[in-house]
Amino acid sequence: MSGPLDSVAWPVRTERLVLRPATPGDVEATYRIRVLPEVSRWITAAPGDPASYAASFAEPDRLARTLVVELGSDGGPVIGDLMLWVGDAWAQVEVAEAARACQAELGWVLDPAYAGRGFATEAVRALLGTCFDALGLRRVVAECFADNTASWRLMERVGMRREAHTVRESLHRDLGWLDGFSYALLAEEWAARER
Ligand SMILES: CC(C)(COP(=O)(O)OP(=O)(O)OC[C@H]1O[C@@H](n2cnc3c(N)ncnc32)[C@H](O)[C@@H]1OP(=O)(O)O)[C@@H](O)C(=O)NCCC(=O)NCCS
């Protein structure tokens, strides 16, 4: 399977974590986290039963945009996963070619047992570095329900800007129509950040 992630020198290491492309062997570790109510409450698709999750996790398109986060520097436990979905920017037809595969949407899940210690911040900063410094993307976006405070606070910790507050446009499986937030970061903003 080839995709944008192939051009990155994996694994990406941070002070406390390793980020690497997911493999079908990560299905159990990611299921264990995603099935927790405090996690599944906010993610796009609840994992369902283990067999259907395993089938969907192993789909090439999904694997091609999924990274796992390992604790420590050498094969530690999987404590979360990240989405890195490279796509086109909106463009007028005549210039659409110049807008191909120039931006990414990010997503994240952290095992609640490891919450509150900055692991998600550390992983997402490394992911932004991968997007801008390794992949040369021009813009990164992320979205969440406005009620998902932990997620938008993470976006702000890593320097993303709130670009939109949508009003009751996103349907939550239990909570009904909710507000949403969109955040973004441009390559030049990433380059100008305080290190
Ligand atoms: C969104 C999510 C990844 C955020 O996790 P998190 O634990 O809040 O984020 P971090 O790991 O970066 O930890 C940040 C917290 O640790 C604290 N912290 C401790 N050491 C830190 C450090 N070195 N660096 C940064 N923060 C640190 C921060 O102050 C912050 O605490 P606070 O929330 O009380 O202010 C997590 O809540 C999650 O997986 N939720 C369910 C899935 C989900 O919602 N996904 C997104 C769908 S849009």
Side-chain angles (χ1 to χ4, degrees):
M1 180 72 198
S2 72
L5 300 194
D6 290 348
S7 54
V8 177
W10 302 106
V12 168
R13 295 177 185 282
T14 70
E15 206 179 312
R16 300 179 292 175
L17 305 169
V18 171
L19 277 54
R20 62 162 174 82
T23 72
D26 296 310
V27 66
E28 281 167 22
T30 57
Y31 182 81
R32 183 187 61 74
I33 299 169
R34 284 174 166 258
V35 79
L36 298 170
E38 62 268 51
V39 173
S40 71
R41 176 180 181 82
W42 295 121
I43 56 182
T44 303
D49 65 87
S52 58
Y53 176 78
S56 120
F57 187 81
E59 281 170 12
D61 282 357
R62 176 155 178 177
L63 284 178
R65 57 177 190 258
T66 304
L67 306 171
V68 293
V69 180
E70 291 177 351
L71 183 63
S73 58
D74 190 19
V78 169
I79 64 164
D81 65 80
L82 302 169
M83 179 182 78
L84 169 49
W85 195 348
V86 176
D88 304 342
W90 186 88
Q92 289 185 308
V93 170
E94 299 77 9
V95 286
E97 204 50 47
R100 297 255 186 267
C102 71
Q103 65 179 24
E105 179 176 351
L106 306 186
W108 35 72
V109 163
L110 178 71
D111 184 341
Y114 294 91
R117 287 186 259 171
F119 288 126
T121 304
E122 192 169 318
V124 174
R125 281 205 183 108
L127 187 60
L128 290 169
T130 300
C131 288
F132 293 121
D133 303 331
L135 292 172
L137 300 178
R138 64 174 301 280
R139 182 168 177 267
V140 161
V141 300
E143 296 185 344
C144 67
F145 288 111
D147 286 349
N148 190 354
T149 308
S151 193
W152 63 257
R153 279 169 54 90
L154 169 60
M155 297 178 203
E156 296 196 345
R157 271 198 303 281
V158 299
M160 300 182 81
R161 263 180 303 101
R162 186 180 297 176
E163 291 196 330
H165 176 172
T166 55
V167 179
R168 291 197 294 281
E169 52 63 60
S170 295
L171 184 57
H172 188 281
R173 65 181 82 88
D174 301 317
L175 304 173
W177 291 101
L178 297 182
D179 290 8
F181 288 152
S182 302
Y183 280 74
L185 188 67
L186 292 166
E188 56 265 37
E189 294 170 319
W190 172 252
R193 74 198 185 283
E194 286 177 29
R195 293 183 190 250

mmCIF file of all heavy atoms in Angstrom, residues 16 38-40 42-43 107-112 114-122 125 143-145 148 150-151 153-155 157, ligand 1:
data_model
loop_
_atom_site.group_PDB
_atom_site.id
_atom_site.type_symbol
_atom_site.label_atom_id
_atom_site.label_comp_id
_atom_site.label_asym_id
_atom_site.label_seq_id
_atom_site.Cartn_x
_atom_site.Cartn_y
_atom_site.Cartn_z
ATOM 1 N N ARG A 16 9.111 11.139 24.926
ATOM 2 C CA ARG A 16 8.519 10.030 25.696
ATOM 3 C C ARG A 16 7.766 9.020 24.843
ATOM 4 O O ARG A 16 7.240 8.032 25.384
ATOM 5 C CB ARG A 16 7.532 10.598 26.732
ATOM 6 C CG ARG A 16 8.155 11.546 27.734
ATOM 7 C CD ARG A 16 7.112 12.080 28.717
ATOM 8 N NE ARG A 16 6.146 12.972 28.059
ATOM 9 C CZ ARG A 16 5.082 13.499 28.641
ATOM 10 N NH1 ARG A 16 4.827 13.207 29.918
ATOM 11 N NH2 ARG A 16 4.272 14.292 27.984
ATOM 12 N N GLU A 38 -15.845 6.820 27.581
ATOM 13 C CA GLU A 38 -15.384 8.214 27.550
ATOM 14 C C GLU A 38 -14.636 8.540 26.262
ATOM 15 O O GLU A 38 -14.436 9.700 25.922
ATOM 16 C CB GLU A 38 -14.543 8.549 28.790
ATOM 17 C CG GLU A 38 -13.271 7.768 28.967
ATOM 18 C CD GLU A 38 -13.429 6.496 29.808
ATOM 19 O OE1 GLU A 38 -14.341 5.688 29.518
ATOM 20 O OE2 GLU A 38 -12.601 6.289 30.723
ATOM 21 N N VAL A 39 -14.189 7.490 25.548
ATOM 22 C CA VAL A 39 -13.547 7.696 24.245
ATOM 23 C C VAL A 39 -14.590 7.585 23.134
ATOM 24 O O VAL A 39 -14.724 8.483 22.299
ATOM 25 C CB VAL A 39 -12.404 6.676 24.038
ATOM 26 C CG1 VAL A 39 -11.844 6.777 22.618
ATOM 27 C CG2 VAL A 39 -11.298 6.895 25.068
ATOM 28 N N SER A 40 -15.352 6.499 23.129
ATOM 29 C CA SER A 40 -16.294 6.277 22.018
ATOM 30 C C SER A 40 -17.345 7.377 21.960
ATOM 31 O O SER A 40 -17.862 7.705 20.883
ATOM 32 C CB SER A 40 -16.944 4.900 22.104
ATOM 33 O OG SER A 40 -17.836 4.852 23.170
ATOM 34 N N TRP A 42 -16.989 10.425 21.812
ATOM 35 C CA TRP A 42 -16.647 11.573 20.981
ATOM 36 C C TRP A 42 -16.168 11.209 19.581
ATOM 37 O O TRP A 42 -16.027 12.105 18.737
ATOM 38 C CB TRP A 42 -15.561 12.414 21.667
ATOM 39 C CG TRP A 42 -16.028 13.035 22.934
ATOM 40 C CD1 TRP A 42 -15.497 12.873 24.188
ATOM 41 C CD2 TRP A 42 -17.135 13.938 23.096
ATOM 42 N NE1 TRP A 42 -16.200 13.607 25.099
ATOM 43 C CE2 TRP A 42 -17.218 14.265 24.458
ATOM 44 C CE3 TRP A 42 -18.074 14.494 22.222
ATOM 45 C CZ2 TRP A 42 -18.188 15.122 24.962
ATOM 46 C CZ3 TRP A 42 -19.052 15.346 22.725
ATOM 47 C CH2 TRP A 42 -19.091 15.655 24.082
ATOM 48 N N ILE A 43 -15.860 9.942 19.344
ATOM 49 C CA ILE A 43 -15.250 9.623 18.042
ATOM 50 C C ILE A 43 -16.328 9.389 16.981
ATOM 51 O O ILE A 43 -17.482 9.121 17.299
ATOM 52 C CB ILE A 43 -14.262 8.433 18.148
ATOM 53 C CG1 ILE A 43 -14.933 7.200 18.721
ATOM 54 C CG2 ILE A 43 -13.056 8.852 18.973
ATOM 55 C CD1 ILE A 43 -13.990 6.007 18.899
ATOM 56 N N GLY A 107 -6.702 13.668 13.564
ATOM 57 C CA GLY A 107 -7.585 13.193 14.622
ATOM 58 C C GLY A 107 -6.752 12.476 15.665
ATOM 59 O O GLY A 107 -5.584 12.143 15.416
ATOM 60 N N TRP A 108 -7.354 12.232 16.845
ATOM 61 C CA TRP A 108 -6.566 11.645 17.933
ATOM 62 C C TRP A 108 -7.436 10.925 18.945
ATOM 63 O O TRP A 108 -8.591 11.281 19.180
ATOM 64 C CB TRP A 108 -5.763 12.715 18.668
ATOM 65 C CG TRP A 108 -6.481 14.024 18.769
ATOM 66 C CD1 TRP A 108 -7.562 14.317 19.557
ATOM 67 C CD2 TRP A 108 -6.192 15.212 18.021
ATOM 68 N NE1 TRP A 108 -7.953 15.611 19.351
ATOM 69 C CE2 TRP A 108 -7.132 16.184 18.418
ATOM 70 C CE3 TRP A 108 -5.228 15.535 17.071
ATOM 71 C CZ2 TRP A 108 -7.139 17.465 17.891
ATOM 72 C CZ3 TRP A 108 -5.241 16.823 16.545
ATOM 73 C CH2 TRP A 108 -6.184 17.764 16.954
ATOM 74 N N VAL A 109 -6.831 9.926 19.538
ATOM 75 C CA VAL A 109 -7.434 9.180 20.641
ATOM 76 C C VAL A 109 -6.298 8.824 21.596
ATOM 77 O O VAL A 109 -5.253 8.331 21.168
ATOM 78 C CB VAL A 109 -8.102 7.884 20.124
ATOM 79 C CG1 VAL A 109 -8.356 6.921 21.258
ATOM 80 C CG2 VAL A 109 -9.399 8.199 19.394
ATOM 81 N N LEU A 110 -6.528 9.095 22.873
ATOM 82 C CA LEU A 110 -5.540 8.741 23.892
ATOM 83 C C LEU A 110 -6.216 7.864 24.933
ATOM 84 O O LEU A 110 -7.342 8.169 25.371
ATOM 85 C CB LEU A 110 -4.989 10.023 24.551
ATOM 86 C CG LEU A 110 -3.981 9.828 25.668
ATOM 87 C CD1 LEU A 110 -2.644 9.319 25.118
ATOM 88 C CD2 LEU A 110 -3.761 11.126 26.437
ATOM 89 N N ASP A 111 -5.551 6.811 25.333
ATOM 90 C CA ASP A 111 -6.052 5.962 26.423
ATOM 91 C C ASP A 111 -6.258 6.836 27.661
ATOM 92 O O ASP A 111 -5.312 7.487 28.125
ATOM 93 C CB ASP A 111 -4.997 4.870 26.698
ATOM 94 C CG ASP A 111 -5.461 3.877 27.746
ATOM 95 O OD1 ASP A 111 -6.397 4.174 28.512
ATOM 96 O OD2 ASP A 111 -4.840 2.793 27.813
ATOM 97 N N PRO A 112 -7.490 6.857 28.219
ATOM 98 C CA PRO A 112 -7.739 7.710 29.393
ATOM 99 C C PRO A 112 -6.793 7.402 30.559
ATOM 100 O O PRO A 112 -6.544 8.271 31.400
ATOM 101 C CB PRO A 112 -9.188 7.395 29.769
ATOM 102 C CG PRO A 112 -9.804 6.833 28.541
ATOM 103 C CD PRO A 112 -8.704 6.165 27.758
ATOM 104 N N TYR A 114 -3.807 7.306 30.433
ATOM 105 C CA TYR A 114 -2.592 8.121 30.235
ATOM 106 C C TYR A 114 -2.928 9.598 30.038
ATOM 107 O O TYR A 114 -2.056 10.379 29.631
ATOM 108 C CB TYR A 114 -1.799 7.582 29.036
ATOM 109 C CG TYR A 114 -1.256 6.201 29.294
ATOM 110 C CD1 TYR A 114 -2.003 5.074 28.955
ATOM 111 C CD2 TYR A 114 -0.031 6.015 29.916
ATOM 112 C CE1 TYR A 114 -1.537 3.791 29.215
ATOM 113 C CE2 TYR A 114 0.458 4.738 30.179
ATOM 114 C CZ TYR A 114 -0.307 3.642 29.825
ATOM 115 O OH TYR A 114 0.169 2.383 30.102
ATOM 116 N N ALA A 115 -4.171 9.978 30.331
ATOM 117 C CA ALA A 115 -4.584 11.371 30.113
ATOM 118 C C ALA A 115 -3.950 12.292 31.145
ATOM 119 O O ALA A 115 -3.493 11.856 32.213
ATOM 120 C CB ALA A 115 -6.108 11.460 30.199
ATOM 121 N N GLY A 116 -3.934 13.563 30.802
ATOM 122 C CA GLY A 116 -3.532 14.586 31.768
ATOM 123 C C GLY A 116 -2.048 14.692 32.017
ATOM 124 O O GLY A 116 -1.615 15.343 32.963
ATOM 125 N N ARG A 117 -1.248 14.076 31.155
ATOM 126 C CA ARG A 117 0.216 14.145 31.339
ATOM 127 C C ARG A 117 0.920 14.736 30.109
ATOM 128 O O ARG A 117 2.131 14.639 29.985
ATOM 129 C CB ARG A 117 0.766 12.757 31.638
ATOM 130 C CG ARG A 117 0.409 12.291 33.049
ATOM 131 C CD ARG A 117 1.084 10.974 33.368
ATOM 132 N NE ARG A 117 0.158 9.873 33.226
ATOM 133 C CZ ARG A 117 0.511 8.596 33.269
ATOM 134 N NH1 ARG A 117 1.773 8.262 33.413
ATOM 135 N NH2 ARG A 117 -0.395 7.646 33.168
ATOM 136 N N GLY A 118 0.128 15.271 29.197
ATOM 137 C CA GLY A 118 0.735 15.909 28.029
ATOM 138 C C GLY A 118 1.140 14.947 26.928
ATOM 139 O O GLY A 118 1.787 15.354 25.958
ATOM 140 N N PHE A 119 0.734 13.689 27.021
ATOM 141 C CA PHE A 119 1.131 12.738 25.966
ATOM 142 C C PHE A 119 0.473 13.086 24.632
ATOM 143 O O PHE A 119 1.113 12.999 23.576
ATOM 144 C CB PHE A 119 0.776 11.306 26.358
ATOM 145 C CG PHE A 119 1.646 10.734 27.433
ATOM 146 C CD1 PHE A 119 1.091 10.186 28.591
ATOM 147 C CD2 PHE A 119 3.034 10.731 27.317
ATOM 148 C CE1 PHE A 119 1.888 9.658 29.596
ATOM 149 C CE2 PHE A 119 3.840 10.206 28.316
ATOM 150 C CZ PHE A 119 3.267 9.669 29.456
ATOM 151 N N ALA A 120 -0.821 13.462 24.671
ATOM 152 C CA ALA A 120 -1.485 13.809 23.404
ATOM 153 C C ALA A 120 -0.845 15.061 22.809
ATOM 154 O O ALA A 120 -0.611 15.130 21.592
ATOM 155 C CB ALA A 120 -2.984 14.008 23.641
ATOM 156 N N THR A 121 -0.544 16.025 23.646
ATOM 157 C CA THR A 121 0.121 17.249 23.162
ATOM 158 C C THR A 121 1.443 16.895 22.487
ATOM 159 O O THR A 121 1.749 17.377 21.389
ATOM 160 C CB THR A 121 0.378 18.195 24.357
ATOM 161 O OG1 THR A 121 -0.864 18.450 25.009
ATOM 162 C CG2 THR A 121 1.001 19.502 23.907
ATOM 163 N N GLU A 122 2.207 16.042 23.140
ATOM 164 C CA GLU A 122 3.524 15.661 22.596
ATOM 165 C C GLU A 122 3.367 14.924 21.261
ATOM 166 O O GLU A 122 4.102 15.184 20.302
ATOM 167 C CB GLU A 122 4.222 14.771 23.641
ATOM 168 C CG GLU A 122 5.675 14.516 23.374
ATOM 169 C CD GLU A 122 6.343 13.849 24.599
ATOM 170 O OE1 GLU A 122 6.062 14.263 25.756
ATOM 171 O OE2 GLU A 122 7.136 12.915 24.390
ATOM 172 N N ARG A 125 2.065 17.432 18.521
ATOM 173 C CA ARG A 125 3.142 18.332 18.060
ATOM 174 C C ARG A 125 4.054 17.598 17.066
ATOM 175 O O ARG A 125 4.452 18.149 16.040
ATOM 176 C CB ARG A 125 3.972 18.832 19.240
ATOM 177 C CG ARG A 125 3.291 19.942 19.990
ATOM 178 C CD ARG A 125 4.300 20.841 20.728
ATOM 179 N NE ARG A 125 3.557 21.845 21.472
ATOM 180 C CZ ARG A 125 3.425 21.855 22.800
ATOM 181 N NH1 ARG A 125 4.018 20.940 23.539
ATOM 182 N NH2 ARG A 125 2.718 22.793 23.384
ATOM 183 N N GLU A 143 -11.291 18.969 13.627
ATOM 184 C CA GLU A 143 -12.651 19.356 14.008
ATOM 185 C C GLU A 143 -13.104 18.556 15.211
ATOM 186 O O GLU A 143 -12.617 17.436 15.433
ATOM 187 C CB GLU A 143 -13.616 19.078 12.845
ATOM 188 C CG GLU A 143 -13.303 19.928 11.630
ATOM 189 C CD GLU A 143 -14.328 19.754 10.519
ATOM 190 O OE1 GLU A 143 -15.090 18.760 10.567
ATOM 191 O OE2 GLU A 143 -14.348 20.608 9.625
ATOM 192 N N CYS A 144 -14.017 19.134 15.970
ATOM 193 C CA CYS A 144 -14.582 18.383 17.106
ATOM 194 C C CYS A 144 -15.945 18.982 17.465
ATOM 195 O O CYS A 144 -16.277 20.087 17.041
ATOM 196 C CB CYS A 144 -13.649 18.427 18.313
ATOM 197 S SG CYS A 144 -13.450 20.056 19.056
ATOM 198 N N PHE A 145 -16.703 18.227 18.253
ATOM 199 C CA PHE A 145 -17.892 18.804 18.869
ATOM 200 C C PHE A 145 -17.417 19.894 19.838
ATOM 201 O O PHE A 145 -16.418 19.707 20.549
ATOM 202 C CB PHE A 145 -18.644 17.740 19.670
ATOM 203 C CG PHE A 145 -19.351 16.708 18.833
ATOM 204 C CD1 PHE A 145 -18.907 15.395 18.805
ATOM 205 C CD2 PHE A 145 -20.487 17.044 18.101
ATOM 206 C CE1 PHE A 145 -19.571 14.436 18.054
ATOM 207 C CE2 PHE A 145 -21.160 16.091 17.346
ATOM 208 C CZ PHE A 145 -20.700 14.783 17.320
ATOM 209 N N ASN A 148 -16.631 18.837 23.281
ATOM 210 C CA ASN A 148 -15.454 17.993 23.523
ATOM 211 C C ASN A 148 -14.276 18.889 23.940
ATOM 212 O O ASN A 148 -13.316 19.104 23.199
ATOM 213 C CB ASN A 148 -15.116 17.169 22.278
ATOM 214 C CG ASN A 148 -14.060 16.114 22.555
ATOM 215 O OD1 ASN A 148 -13.499 16.065 23.653
ATOM 216 N ND2 ASN A 148 -13.787 15.289 21.564
ATOM 217 N N ALA A 150 -11.765 18.589 25.961
ATOM 218 C CA ALA A 150 -10.384 18.065 25.976
ATOM 219 C C ALA A 150 -9.779 18.137 24.580
ATOM 220 O O ALA A 150 -8.583 18.435 24.428
ATOM 221 C CB ALA A 150 -10.379 16.628 26.484
ATOM 222 N N SER A 151 -10.602 17.916 23.552
ATOM 223 C CA SER A 151 -10.064 17.902 22.197
ATOM 224 C C SER A 151 -9.733 19.317 21.723
ATOM 225 O O SER A 151 -8.655 19.557 21.175
ATOM 226 C CB SER A 151 -11.063 17.218 21.257
ATOM 227 O OG SER A 151 -10.445 16.939 20.032
ATOM 228 N N ARG A 153 -9.163 21.920 23.561
ATOM 229 C CA ARG A 153 -8.046 22.462 24.369
ATOM 230 C C ARG A 153 -6.705 21.933 23.844
ATOM 231 O O ARG A 153 -5.700 22.640 23.846
ATOM 232 C CB ARG A 153 -8.237 22.109 25.846
ATOM 233 C CG ARG A 153 -9.211 23.073 26.530
ATOM 234 C CD ARG A 153 -9.617 22.578 27.907
ATOM 235 N NE ARG A 153 -8.480 22.285 28.769
ATOM 236 C CZ ARG A 153 -7.908 23.163 29.576
ATOM 237 N NH1 ARG A 153 -8.352 24.393 29.627
ATOM 238 N NH2 ARG A 153 -6.893 22.799 30.338
ATOM 239 N N LEU A 154 -6.703 20.682 23.419
ATOM 240 C CA LEU A 154 -5.493 20.122 22.810
ATOM 241 C C LEU A 154 -5.132 20.905 21.540
ATOM 242 O O LEU A 154 -3.962 21.258 21.327
ATOM 243 C CB LEU A 154 -5.729 18.635 22.503
ATOM 244 C CG LEU A 154 -4.708 17.917 21.635
ATOM 245 C CD1 LEU A 154 -3.318 17.942 22.286
ATOM 246 C CD2 LEU A 154 -5.134 16.457 21.400
ATOM 247 N N MET A 155 -6.125 21.177 20.708
ATOM 248 C CA MET A 155 -5.854 21.950 19.482
ATOM 249 C C MET A 155 -5.216 23.296 19.835
ATOM 250 O O MET A 155 -4.269 23.740 19.178
ATOM 251 C CB MET A 155 -7.154 22.163 18.695
ATOM 252 C CG MET A 155 -7.786 20.867 18.199
ATOM 253 S SD MET A 155 -9.348 21.185 17.340
ATOM 254 C CE MET A 155 -10.177 19.600 17.512
ATOM 255 N N ARG A 157 -3.555 24.030 22.616
ATOM 256 C CA ARG A 157 -2.197 23.840 23.202
ATOM 257 C C ARG A 157 -1.137 23.706 22.117
ATOM 258 O O ARG A 157 -0.011 24.143 22.309
ATOM 259 C CB ARG A 157 -2.156 22.597 24.100
ATOM 260 C CG ARG A 157 -2.521 22.850 25.551
ATOM 261 C CD ARG A 157 -2.052 21.725 26.462
ATOM 262 N NE ARG A 157 -2.571 20.433 26.087
ATOM 263 C CZ ARG A 157 -3.801 20.007 26.371
ATOM 264 N NH1 ARG A 157 -4.627 20.763 27.043
ATOM 265 N NH2 ARG A 157 -4.192 18.808 25.980
HETATM 266 C C1 LIG B 1 -8.656 14.618 23.267
HETATM 267 C C2 LIG B 1 -7.658 13.855 24.137
HETATM 268 C C3 LIG B 1 -6.622 13.154 23.252
HETATM 269 C C4 LIG B 1 -6.946 14.864 25.052
HETATM 270 O O1 LIG B 1 -6.199 14.173 26.032
HETATM 271 P P1 LIG B 1 -5.517 14.985 27.252
HETATM 272 O O2 LIG B 1 -5.044 14.006 28.253
HETATM 273 O O3 LIG B 1 -6.445 16.065 27.713
HETATM 274 O O4 LIG B 1 -4.297 15.722 26.557
HETATM 275 P P2 LIG B 1 -2.736 15.646 26.930
HETATM 276 O O5 LIG B 1 -2.274 14.244 26.958
HETATM 277 O O6 LIG B 1 -2.070 16.585 26.008
HETATM 278 O O7 LIG B 1 -2.696 16.194 28.411
HETATM 279 C C5 LIG B 1 -3.032 17.546 28.678
HETATM 280 C C6 LIG B 1 -3.260 17.718 30.143
HETATM 281 O O8 LIG B 1 -2.089 17.303 30.839
HETATM 282 C C7 LIG B 1 -1.488 18.417 31.492
HETATM 283 N N1 LIG B 1 -0.055 18.251 31.283
HETATM 284 C C8 LIG B 1 0.770 17.668 32.176
HETATM 285 N N2 LIG B 1 2.014 17.620 31.677
HETATM 286 C C9 LIG B 1 1.967 18.193 30.440
HETATM 287 C C10 LIG B 1 2.943 18.432 29.442
HETATM 288 N N3 LIG B 1 4.219 18.056 29.583
HETATM 289 N N4 LIG B 1 2.561 19.006 28.275
HETATM 290 C C11 LIG B 1 1.276 19.374 28.093
HETATM 291 N N5 LIG B 1 0.300 19.179 29.016
HETATM 292 C C12 LIG B 1 0.644 18.590 30.183
HETATM 293 C C13 LIG B 1 -2.096 19.651 30.844
HETATM 294 O O9 LIG B 1 -2.105 20.749 31.733
HETATM 295 C C14 LIG B 1 -3.487 19.162 30.552
HETATM 296 O O10 LIG B 1 -4.244 19.132 31.727
HETATM 297 P P3 LIG B 1 -5.657 19.906 31.853
HETATM 298 O O11 LIG B 1 -6.572 19.243 30.840
HETATM 299 O O12 LIG B 1 -6.059 19.668 33.253
HETATM 300 O O13 LIG B 1 -5.363 21.318 31.503
HETATM 301 C C15 LIG B 1 -8.386 12.799 25.014
HETATM 302 O O14 LIG B 1 -9.280 13.481 25.870
HETATM 303 C C16 LIG B 1 -9.172 11.761 24.234
HETATM 304 O O15 LIG B 1 -8.603 10.813 23.699
HETATM 305 N N6 LIG B 1 -10.520 11.912 24.187
HETATM 306 C C17 LIG B 1 -11.403 10.905 23.587
HETATM 307 C C18 LIG B 1 -11.255 10.812 22.092
HETATM 308 C C19 LIG B 1 -11.503 12.145 21.411
HETATM 309 O O16 LIG B 1 -12.246 12.985 21.883
HETATM 310 N N7 LIG B 1 -10.875 12.315 20.246
HETATM 311 C C20 LIG B 1 -11.047 13.532 19.455
HETATM 312 C C21 LIG B 1 -12.310 13.522 18.704
HETATM 313 S S1 LIG B 1 -12.518 15.110 17.870
#
